Amino acid sequence: MRVLLVEDNAALAAKVRAALIEARFVVDHAADGEEALFLGETEPYDVVVLDLGLPRLDGLSVLHRWRAAARTMPVLVLTARGAWTEKVEGLNAGADDYMAKPFAIGELVARLQALIRRARGVARPEISLGHGGEVTLDTVAATVNLEGTPVRLTGLEFRLLAYMAQCGARPVSRTELTEHLYDQDFDRDSNTIEVVVGRIRRKLGAGLIETERGLGYRIALPVGKAGPST
Ligand code: CA
């Protein structure tokens, strides 16, 4: 999952970024409102953390302009402690959740994961995959089991599997995967989508990810289910 972190306080941004990477997010960081506006308008983020007090363009204006441009990604706003008017303004501007500073970073991560699940219509963090339901993916604990046995995936492998799992039965193109799995600076050459899919198939079974000619990939779901098992 790819997150845009908009925060001008460098120390706080570094702490949040580290926690998000630990939770297997891909993180792009913007330190002012204009950069945030541009990135949010042009890149497909799964969720955004938006500080309201920002240089160059304030966070509320950024959010208003994203929503006016029909950018619908879930947005969690960071407000100053006790500033209840900021919460109201943020929610009115189209925010999906808010947290007041200072906040516990673990709670921020949990709320972002919940926002992503809600946006994709997946209610619980555990998802069963494979035609026999043999693979279990826990999006909160960031673990994967094959027939009850834990399997170690790299961060990139996990992100690809988790993204596909939340897309359900629809095919997902390589372009879409690329946009959601890598940050701007990632060296993509040795980690192309095809290579990552091949590694996942070796670890979790060749049938788990099916190739749809001309469309991309489709995740195998338990037989008889149209969407991810939740
Ligand atoms: Ca600020």
Side-chain angles (χ1 to χ4, degrees), residues 31 48 64 79 105 115 118 136 143 145 163 165 177 182 197 220 227:
V48 176
H64 273 297
T79 66
I105 288 183
L115 282 176
R118 209 182 305 156
T136 309
T143 56
N145 283 278
Y163 187 80
L177 287 169
Y182 303 106
V197 166

Side-chain angles (χ1 to χ4, degrees), residues 6-9 12 31 51-55 78 101:
V6 186
E7 171 58 65
D8 58 314
N9 179 318
L12 179 59
D51 184 32
L52 293 185
L54 294 170
L78 299 177
K101 294 180 181 179

